[in-house]
Amino acid sequence: MSACVPTRATDPSDSHDTSRVHPPHSPPPAPPRRFRVAGADVSASIAVFLIALPLSLGIALATGAPLQAGLVAAAVGGIVAGRLGGCPLQVSGPAAGLTVVTADLIHRYGWRTTCAITVLAGVAQLGLGCLRVARTALAVSPAIVHGMLAGIGVTIAVAQLHIVLGGTPQSSVLDNLRALPAQLANLQPAAVSVSALALTLLFLWPRIPGRAGQLLRRIPAALVAVAGATAAACLAGLTVPKVDLPSWSSHALAGLPEGPVLGLVAAVLTTTLVCSVQSLLGAVAVDKLVSGRPDLIAPSTGPARDTRLGRSDLDRELLGQGAANIVSGALGGLPVAGVAVRSSANVQAGAVSRNSTMLHGVLVVIAALLMVPLLEFIPLASLAALVMAVGIQMVSLHHIRTVTRHREVLVYAVTTLGVVVFGVLEGVTLGIAVAVGVALHRLTRTRITHDEREGVHHVHVRGQLTFLAVPRLSRALHLVPQGADVVVELDGSFMDHAAYESLQHWQKTHTAQGGSVELTGRSPGTRIAEPSDSADCRCRPWTAWRNHQCERPLPGPDASDTGAPGGSGRPDGSSRSSGSGSPLGAPGSSGRELARGISAFQRNTAPIVRGELARLAREGQQPDQLFLTCADSRLVTSMITSSGPGDLFVVRNVGNLVPPPADAGRCPQPGEESGDDSVAAAIEYAVDVLKVRSITVCGHSGCGAMQALLNSEPGGARTPLKRWLRHGLPSLERMADPGRPWTGLAGRAPADAVEQLCLTNVVQQLEHLRAHESVARALREGGLELHGMYFHVGEAQSYLLTEASGAEVFDLVSDAGSLRSPA
């Protein structure tokens, strides 16, 4: 019997022992995993706790709920939502965004019914989480969400202003505004002084300069504001209302809901909406903060744990928030939602897992049980000032500028005013109605104009082209006489089926009657691709501008080839025919081509490479090879080497020249020509800093620099180009020296003297390269290889330098990746 098979597996009484026997040839089972808390989580939880404690008390005060309710919600949010939620680093608890809703519920239905509504809202969140509609909730216009939060912030700030001034807030914003003059006439100096001190500390604490400021700013400003105001009130002996925490034995729990059914249903929906939207938006914001922490998005190098954090699971976050609201409501706590201030502090304090959120909840429980005598020293005016500052911050100028830029300011303003005047649910409903109206207006507002310029009829369509605009489009198109030349410019992003068929039918009819039709996009001279074009489009990121098929410029009357002098590789700088059948257009079109090329990259390529470039941005460049080649525009290094970002450290110059170190680093004497350090600097940086393992010098066919060397004559003006090309003179001498090994291509002789010089130049520049100190040292240590390469542009064929029979030969590189000699 094999020793690998347990002999007592058939005994039913011992069947439980067989679970400990691991399969043959498998690694031993891992030891039981013990619960561990990272030190970063402990420090982060303390920072969040110090922020949550005063804010929880302040929000409970602002809603009119028992002050213990804020502590219950903070503890439950940290422990329950922190453990079950889908965003590990989001901190949940009583949120300022729920203040207005909760205060209205308490005013209408009383505290025990408000707790029952919180429980029912949690049940609704569980249902939404099970239906997996979290992503759908984010489809609400940001203008509505920001407007809702701004309206809530205004309501909070106006209400808390009365407590700051020593009075009592009213039940609505309008009542608070009407009562404000009387409150200003009856100020309470003690409350105003405490509030002013708290606001001063809250504003100035994050702005303390210098090294001392860096140390002091580790203490949360909210805690400093409340603690400073409390200490000042106690030392000065001020008589102000203070926190009153009754015994936990008298704490009110949830009761059966009492009130009209429709009103209760609306209350549950409002609480569910605000809690869910605020929590989901908070989770998305935390994801953005986490993306700026490389230690959270890359695996840890330590053996103990992996700190990788993926994107938040929004459906699980809804489930966690629902469970937290059920528990908080049942225990007599405020509604729970994700809180932006605490979540941001959690991430910035270095938290690495959900343990920090849960620990902060545990610390709140400890404080609620053991720190009651200390908490009762806190003046209510300091808490009101803290909450008022939070409300003012909810009206974000950044959000206002954003919605203004996107022409959504009307939606934002209506939502804000609706929340302030009527309430959260009514304000959000008004915002949605206005957003729908604005969208329909933009969809149906289409301007169609017709004019004639220089014998060409222009029909300009501004806006979205839908079936509603078809009658006006038909009238404008029928103003065009038969056989005329027409340009139809579509300045919009959408065309429905009815408009497409109408335009296509007219185009076919007009063309059949001898006319011509050009359909252009938003940029002048851009042809809209026909359906047949898309099937034949073979454009790639390296496709030349003039050869693009998807978006090609139209020929103009004065169009000419814009080939740059020298770009063709000819010594006289003459341009060549593009071969595409379409010139580039009017002068200045190269700028438009560059802009279109950049736009095409952002649209097509950037989304694909963004992740890889983000990794390179975090880790820095680590190329394996220095690639030194010519500046010729036809030589695309990434294309001919199939390399990507971070693979090659590329140096390009005219003629792929490497100045010898004796010339590159020498200070010129009077009458001498200046040296060049740029290539030497790149070589030194690549070898000594980047630690590249190989260097390739790549020449190419039809090199204009080699042609200029062959045609150069002594004397004449010493232009910068001539001074640079002197580094190629050793290549000319090498080619003319019969004692030197022959340089050529495997299988055929060089086509002409220019190609012979291009091949010889690669070999000569490799000799110059070996003379550089950093390269010579790396070669001696065996950490560097040198390669010669030749690219034939017309054949799209690469050759690599080898040494055979005393000659330097460039062999073909086959598509299988090996060197071969042609038959």
Side-chain angles (χ1 to χ4, degrees):
M1 179 177 295
S2 172
C4 295
V5 181
T7 58
R8 301 179 60 188
T10 57
D11 187 350
S13 65
D14 285 344
S15 59
H16 63 280
D17 292 332
T18 61
S19 61
R20 298 178 181 157
V21 180
H22 58 275
H25 311 297
S26 65
R33 186 175 180 180
R34 292 186 297 175
F35 178 74
R36 293 184 179 179
V37 179
D41 283 332
V42 174
S43 60
S45 68
I46 295 174
V48 176
F49 160 73
L50 296 177
I51 295 173
L53 187 63
L55 279 177
S56 300
L57 292 172
I59 291 171
L61 172 67
T63 60
L67 295 185
Q68 295 102 318
L71 300 176
V72 171
V76 172
I79 298 173
V80 178
R83 179 65 185 88
L84 303 178
C87 183
L89 299 189
Q90 173 157 260
V91 181
S92 300
L98 292 162
T99 303
V100 176
V101 176
T102 309
D104 183 59
L105 294 180
I106 295 173
H107 177 73
R108 290 188 182 186
Y109 303 110
W111 172 242
R112 292 171 65 88
T113 298
T114 299
C115 292
I117 290 172
T118 301
V119 173
L120 294 175
V123 174
Q125 285 181 301
L126 288 180
L128 293 175
C130 293
L131 293 175
R132 307 185 70 82
V133 297
R135 289 285 173 188
T136 306
L138 294 179
V140 180
S141 169
I144 297 175
V145 175
H146 298 322
M148 177 190 74
L149 296 176
I152 292 173
V154 170
T155 305
I156 293 172
V158 173
Q160 296 310 298
L161 181 59
H162 282 270
I163 302 179
V164 167
L165 298 176
T168 303
Q170 305 298 316
S171 58
S172 69
V173 179
L174 298 180
D175 291 339
N176 282 321
L177 290 175
R178 282 192 288 265
L180 193 57
Q183 184 64 61
L184 289 172
N186 188 26
L187 292 176
Q188 301 295 322
V192 172
S193 60
V194 169
S195 301
L197 178 60
L199 290 174
T200 302
L201 289 173
L202 189 67
F203 178 76
L204 295 180
W205 190 258
R207 293 168 173 79
I208 298 176
R211 182 174 300 178
Q214 290 180 348
L215 296 175
L216 293 175
R217 283 196 295 270
R218 296 182 180 180
I219 305 174
L223 177 66
V224 172
V226 174
T230 301
C234 293
L235 293 175
L238 299 177
T239 303
V240 290
K242 297 181 179 179
V243 169
D244 182 17
L245 292 174
S247 172
W248 284 103
S249 60
S250 61
H251 179 64
L253 303 180
L256 293 176
E258 298 177 359
V261 176
L262 291 180
L264 292 174
V265 170
V268 171
L269 290 178
T270 304
T271 307
T272 304
L273 171 68
V274 179
C275 287
S276 302
V277 171
Q278 183 162 346
S279 299
L280 295 176
L281 291 176
V284 174
V286 169
D287 283 346
K288 294 179 180 179
L289 292 175
V290 169
S291 65
R293 291 261 311 269
D295 59 312
L296 294 180
I297 55 181
S300 173
T301 56
R305 61 184 292 113
D306 186 352
T307 59
R308 181 190 296 273
L309 286 179
R311 294 179 60 187
S312 298
D313 185 341
L314 297 184
D315 294 304
R316 179 179 172 180
E317 182 64 20
L318 266 186
L319 293 173
Q321 295 293 335
N325 274 313
I326 292 174
V327 176
S328 180
L331 295 179
L334 291 172
V336 170
V339 187
V341 175
R342 287 169 240 178
S343 302
S344 175
N346 192 35
V347 176
Q348 294 173 356
V352 296
S353 73
R354 63 177 73 246
N355 291 334
S356 64
T357 303
M358 298 168 62
L359 278 176
H360 123 272
V362 173
L363 292 175
V364 172
V365 172
I366 296 173
L369 295 176
L370 303 180
M371 296 176 60
V372 171
L374 290 177
L375 297 177
E376 290 184 337
F377 283 104
I378 299 176
L380 295 181
S382 65
L383 296 178
L386 177 63
V387 177
M388 184 180 73
V390 173
I392 294 173
Q393 291 172 355
M394 293 174 70
V395 186
S396 170
L397 293 178
H398 171 70
H399 291 158
I400 294 175
R401 286 192 292 266
T402 301
V403 297
T404 302
R405 186 168 62 250
H406 292 281
R407 297 184 297 170
E408 298 280 349
V409 69
L410 179 62
V411 178
Y412 179 90
V414 169
T415 306
T416 301
L417 291 176
V419 170
V420 169
V421 177
F422 302 109
V424 175
L425 187 60
E426 294 83 354
V428 170
T429 303
L430 282 175
I432 292 174
V434 173
V436 171
V438 169
L440 290 176
H441 174 70
R442 291 175 179 173
L443 191 62
T444 58
R445 185 185 179 187
T446 308
R447 293 182 57 193
I448 302 176
T449 59
H450 166 263
D451 62 345
E452 180 182 0
R453 298 192 298 270
E454 299 179 357
V456 178
H457 292 260
H458 294 264
V459 178
H460 192 178
V461 181
R462 295 181 179 88
Q464 316 312 317
L465 196 53
T466 67
F467 66 94
L468 298 173
V470 167
R472 284 178 289 152
L473 177 64
S474 298
R475 285 195 295 270
L477 293 176
H478 281 86
L479 295 176
V480 178
Q482 296 183 3
D485 296 331
V486 188
V487 175
V488 180
E489 184 175 348
L490 305 176
D491 189 358
S493 59
F494 175 75
M495 179 193 301
D496 70 3
H497 187 66
Y500 174 78
E501 282 197 343
S502 175
L503 187 59
Q504 188 183 47
H505 174 72
W506 174 84
Q507 180 183 10
K508 290 181 178 178
T509 303
H510 188 77
T511 305
Q513 294 172 348
S516 66
V517 179
E518 292 288 350
L519 301 179
T520 67
R522 302 184 68 167
S523 300
T526 302
R527 182 176 62 87
I528 302 298
E530 300 292 339
S532 59
D533 292 340
S534 60
D536 297 331
C537 180
R538 297 181 177 86
C539 298
R540 296 292 184 270
W542 57 81
T543 302
W545 289 335
R546 67 184 70 195
N547 293 333
H548 267 269
Q549 303 296 323
C550 300
E551 194 170 300
R552 186 171 58 196
L554 298 169
D558 57 346
S560 62
D561 193 351
T562 61
S568 63
R570 299 186 179 189
D572 59 356
S574 61
S575 61
R576 55 176 173 80
S577 173
S578 67
S580 64
S582 176
L584 284 178
S589 63
S590 59
R592 294 196 298 271
E593 294 289 358
L594 178 62
R596 290 177 192 165
I598 297 172
S599 176
F601 166 81
Q602 294 297 147
R603 181 175 60 252
N604 303 324
T605 310
I608 300 173
V609 302
R610 186 170 287 120
E612 178 66 12
L613 290 178
R615 181 188 66 80
L616 290 171
R618 292 191 305 269
E619 300 176 0
Q621 63 166 330
Q622 297 175 346
D624 291 328
Q625 181 161 152
L626 166 61
F627 197 86
L628 198 150
T629 189
C630 185
D632 193 287
S633 62
R634 299 165 298 177
L635 213 60
V636 184
T637 56
S638 59
M639 180 177 70
I640 66 175
T641 60
S642 295
S643 56
D647 291 336
L648 301 180
F649 187 71
V650 181
V651 175
R652 305 188 69 155
N653 59 51
V654 176
N656 48 274
L657 300 176
V658 180
D663 188 13
R666 181 165 52 90
C667 295
Q669 301 297 323
E672 288 186 330
E673 298 167 350
S674 61
D676 182 270
D677 276 328
S678 62
V679 178
I683 294 170
E684 180 182 346
Y685 183 78
V687 175
D688 293 342
V689 179
L690 297 179
K691 305 296 183 183
V692 297
R693 294 195 294 268
S694 67
I695 302 178
T696 299
V697 177
C698 177
H700 68 96
S701 62
C703 181
M706 299 300 104
Q707 179 72 65
L709 270 175
L710 283 174
N711 296 337
S712 62
E713 296 179 358
R718 306 296 294 175
T719 64
L721 179 60
K722 285 188 176 181
R723 289 198 299 271
W724 170 253
L725 289 180
R726 77 181 188 278
H727 301 303
L729 293 177
S731 301
L732 266 177
E733 297 170 359
R734 184 188 190 97
M735 186 176 72
D737 187 354
R740 291 278 191 169
W742 175 82
T743 304
L745 296 170
R748 70 173 177 86
D752 50 26
V754 174
E755 185 169 50
Q756 178 69 65
L757 183 57
C758 291
L759 299 171
T760 306
N761 183 59
V762 171
V763 178
Q764 182 62 40
Q765 301 310 316
L766 285 173
E767 282 197 6
H768 291 179
L769 195 59
R770 292 186 185 95
H772 284 261
E773 180 182 354
S774 56
V775 175
R777 182 176 61 255
L779 288 173
R780 287 194 303 269
E781 295 172 355
L784 184 66
E785 296 179 352
L786 302 184
H787 301 284
M789 178 177 169
Y790 177 75
F791 183 75
H792 196 289
V793 176
E795 298 174 356
Q797 179 63 57
S798 297
Y799 298 81
L800 285 178
L801 178 64
T802 61
E803 293 185 3
S805 302
E808 289 118 355
V809 180
F810 286 83
D811 268 349
L812 276 169
V813 180
S814 68
D815 54 8
S818 60
L819 299 178
R820 63 180 176 85
S821 298

